Every structure is written in structure tokens, then in C-alpha cells.
């Protein structure tokens, strides 16, 4: 089973300051762990292409996209919101981050690889249709999903998000789109704070209380998501892979372990084998304890690769 690993050096040039949790060291930690564990030798490593403006406009408000380009600073920084900053290299990094997911879709749908992992930053799942939020400029996984629909005629895409934070942006973009099933497990209450409400139509919510452990996480997926996935029968499965639900992470208070990440990945791979011809694209979201992040991505990738 061939697996692509997509990233780009520009994703490490988006530097928000030494004390900022969303740091280039996140990608360094992942790569170092994959090299140390000799997993990189079995991945098809690719430098991410830059996303096309048309692909961004197919997902986001074109006026919003234009505003991001217009605001990109030549020096210093600007605040898009309280948590989301743009530095001189931020736009270039964001274009490669979304471009990686589009490229992964092309590689998977063409049969060049079976599945893919996108090691990119800035993350994307908080970016709404017309709004930057929570470290995110463009919604990387949503851009890739829209490309799969428009370019390949996919009619049923499942996006599963196990980040500690609710992916409000992905929900905002696809909340009225029956071609996309969006499911999110998350600590609640926690950023982005407003209660997203009950599951409905093509949206599955799995809120978890502060301190929830692996058994709570697994029970939510067994009862709330997997029956819905079985009925939906996705043709492509995409994962918003946030690793900040791990017990070591400073950004949340869930108590997941690596084996919980492996468990949910294994279960999702089983669904993909039955309905998607094994087509899975995983996209990095959160994860801010770099040691835990490196280990968890290593285990997540091993599960995707079935080794």
C-alpha cells in the first residue's frame, strides 16, 4: 500500500514567535520521528504545489481570498483576529498547505498512491467561508474536498476531525452540502467556545467533557459516528488529524493516548477499505507538544500504511 507524504519548506517559514505554540518545530518533530523510526523510507515524499486561486475561490468567499492576499505584510505582522497572525511568509505557507491537500487528492484519485498524509501548517479547520480564525487562513481540508467534488465528481466525502477543538470552519463551509459528511469530536466547552449544537443532516457532533479519556472517545465514535459512516458509504475519506487531544498537549484537557489515535485510525481505515477503495487523505491540524506530536503522527501513519 503506497502512502504519500506531502509538505513544503515554506510551511516552516511561517514563524509566529518563539513562544507561540503553532511553531515550525511541529513539522520538524514529525519529520525527525519518521526518520528515526525509518518510516520515511517507505513514504512517497512530495513537495506540495501551490494552490490555485480558483481552488481557493471554489471553497471560500472570493472577496475574503482577495483580502488575504492584499493584507500579506512585507515586514512585521498583522492580526486577522486575536489568535491569527500574518507574517511576511505566512501567505506562501498557507498556499502550500492548501495546495498539499489538492495534490494529495490528485495523487489518490489517479491511483498514484492509495492514501496520503499532509504535514502542513498553518492549520485549516477553523477557517470559515469568509473568516480567518484560530491560527487558520484557508481551510486546507475543505479546499481539497471541494476539489475532489469538482474535479472528480465525488458525491460522498466523509471528513472526520479528531482535533481537541471543534472544526467550526469546516462545518461552516459544508453545513448545507449533502455531498460532505462532517464529523467532529472535541472538548466542550473550549475554543471556539459557542455550543455548536446537536448533530443534524450531514453534521455529526461528538462533544467530550474536560478530562475525558480514551474509553469516552471510543464510545462516542462507536455510538455516534460509525453507524452514520456505514449508512453514508463515503467514496473518499478525509481526516482532520489534530493531535492536541492527547493528554500531554497544553491546548486542551482531554486525556487521549497514542493507542486511541491508532484505534480510531484503524477503524477509519476499515471503513475506507469497504467503501472508498482504501482512499484516505489525512491532514495535520493541531498538536502542540512536539514530542507527543511526533510520536502520535508516527503511530497514525503506521496505521494508515497498515504496518
Amino acid at each position: 500500500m503506497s502512502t504519500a507524504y506531502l509538505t513544503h519548506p515554506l510551511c516552516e517559514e511561517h514563524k509566529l514567535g518563539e513562544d507561540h505554540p503553532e511553531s515550525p518545530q511541529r513539522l520538524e518533530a514529525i519529520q525527525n520521528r519518521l526518520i528515526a523510526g525509518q518510516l520515511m523510507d517507505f513514504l512517497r515524499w512530495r513537495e506540495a504545489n501551490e494552490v490555485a486561486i480558483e481552488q481557493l475561490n471554489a471553497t471560500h468567499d472570493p472577496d475574503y481570498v482577495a483580502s488575504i492576499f492584499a493584507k500579506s505584510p512585507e515586514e512585521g505582522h498583522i492580526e486577522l483576529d486575536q489568535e491569527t497572525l500574518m507574517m511576511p511568509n505566512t501567505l506562501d505557507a498557507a498556499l502550500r498547505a492548501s495546495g498539499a491537500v489538492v495534490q494529495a487528492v490528485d495523487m489518490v484519485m489517479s491511483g498514484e498512491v492509495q492514501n496520503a498524509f499532509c504535514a502542513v501548517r498553518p492549520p485549516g479547520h477553523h477557517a470559515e467561508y469568509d473568516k480567518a480564525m484560530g491560527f487558520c487562513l484557508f481551510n486546507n481540508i475543505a479546499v481539497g474536498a471541494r476539489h475532489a467534488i469538482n474535479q472528480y465528481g465525488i458525491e460522498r466525502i466523509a471528513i472526520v476531525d479528531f482535533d481537541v477543538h471543534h472544526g467550526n470552519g469546516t462545518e461552516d463551509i459544508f453545513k448545507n452540502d449533502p455531498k460532505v459528511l462532517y464529523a467532529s469530536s472535541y472538548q466542550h466547552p473550549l475554543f471556539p467556545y459557542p455550543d455548536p449544537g446537536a448533530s443534524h443532516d450531514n453534521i455529526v457532533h461528538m462533544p467530550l467533557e474536560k478530562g475525558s479519556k480514551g474509553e469516552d472517545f471510543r464510545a462516542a465514535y462507536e455510538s455516534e459516528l460509525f453507524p452514520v459512516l456505514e449508512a453514508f458509504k463515503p467514496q473518499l475519506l478525509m481526516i482532520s488529524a489534530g493531535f492536541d487531544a492527547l493528554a500531554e498537549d497544553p491546548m486542551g484537557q482531554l486525556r487521549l493516548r497514542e493507542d486511541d489515535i491508532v484505534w480510531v485510525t484503524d477503524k477509519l481505515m476499515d471503513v475506507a477499505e469497504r467503501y472508498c477503495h482504501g482512499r484516505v487523505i489525512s491532514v495535520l491540524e493541531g498538536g502542540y507538544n512536539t514530542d507527543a506530536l511526533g510520536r502520535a503522527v508516527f503511530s497514525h501513519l503506521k496505521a494508515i500504511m497498515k504496518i
Side-chain angles (χ1 to χ4, degrees), residues 13-16 85-95 122 137:
E13 294 303 314
H14 169 52
K15 298 176 181 178
L16 300 170
L85 308 179
M86 286 190 78
M87 327 298 273
N89 293 310
T90 299
L91 178 59
D92 288 335
L95 295 176
L137 277 72

Side-chain angles (χ1 to χ4, degrees), residues 117-153:
F117 180 78
C118 300
V120 294
R121 52 181 293 276
H125 74 153
H126 293 308
E128 298 185 348
Y129 174 69
D130 59 0
K131 181 180 179 183
M133 189 174 177
F135 310 159
C136 305
L137 277 72
F138 304 129
N139 196 308
N140 306 319
I141 202 165
V143 172
R146 183 64 68 199
H147 176 66
I149 293 168
N150 292 345
Q151 185 68 25
Y152 297 99

Side-chain angles (χ1 to χ4, degrees), residues 73-299:
E74 294 184 4
E75 59 183 19
H77 73 273
I78 65 163
E79 292 187 4
L80 299 177
D81 75 357
Q82 191 172 4
E83 293 89 14
T84 312
L85 308 179
M86 286 190 78
M87 327 298 273
N89 293 310
T90 299
L91 178 59
D92 288 335
L95 295 176
R96 298 290 177 169
S98 288
V101 189
V102 170
Q103 189 173 346
V105 169
D106 288 339
M107 294 178 74
V108 168
M109 294 306 300
S110 70
E112 181 180 351
V113 295
Q114 182 108 45
N115 47 56
F117 180 78
C118 300
V120 294
R121 52 181 293 276
H125 74 153
H126 293 308
E128 298 185 348
Y129 174 69
D130 59 0
K131 181 180 179 183
M133 189 174 177
F135 310 159
C136 305
L137 277 72
F138 304 129
N139 196 308
N140 306 319
I141 202 165
V143 172
R146 183 64 68 199
H147 176 66
I149 293 168
N150 292 345
Q151 185 68 25
Y152 297 99
I154 298 294
E155 296 183 345
R156 295 186 306 281
I157 296 177
I159 300 176
V160 179
D161 187 336
F162 54 72
D163 193 278
V164 78
H165 304 100
H166 173 235
N168 59 290
T170 313
E171 178 168 338
D172 178 67
I173 289 167
F174 292 120
K175 60 188 175 185
N176 296 314
D177 190 337
K179 293 184 178 180
V180 178
L181 172 69
Y182 177 67
S184 178
S185 58
Y186 51 91
Q187 180 181 327
H188 184 70
L190 190 67
F191 180 90
Y193 298 113
D195 188 346
S199 299
H200 59 92
D201 302 324
N202 61 319
I203 305 297
V204 178
H205 290 145
M206 294 175 283
L208 298 167
E209 295 181 356
K210 173 182 175 180
S212 293
K213 297 181 179 180
E215 52 264 36
D216 307 302
F217 173 82
R218 298 185 191 204
Y221 274 77
E222 291 282 19
S223 63
E224 302 296 327
L225 176 60
F226 291 127
V228 177
L229 272 181
E230 293 289 339
F232 187 67
K233 297 179 173 57
Q235 297 166 306
L236 175 66
L237 197 151
M238 305 181 77
I239 302 172
S240 268
F243 299 92
D244 40 9
L246 293 168
E248 301 97 317
D249 200 276
M251 299 289 279
Q253 292 84 38
L254 296 184
R255 317 306 319 157
L256 300 194
R257 304 182 306 269
E258 274 179 61
D259 62 339
D260 298 311
I261 300 298
V262 172
W263 175 84
V264 74
T265 307
D266 283 340
K267 297 284 281 189
L268 292 173
M269 293 302 295
D270 289 344
V271 171
E273 288 292 323
R274 287 197 296 278
Y275 302 116
C276 310
H277 306 288
R279 296 186 299 224
V280 173
I281 296 167
S282 180
V283 182
L284 180 66
E285 299 287 0
Y288 304 99
N289 178 306
T290 54
D291 289 340
L293 175 64
R295 295 194 309 269
V297 172
F298 181 83
S299 297

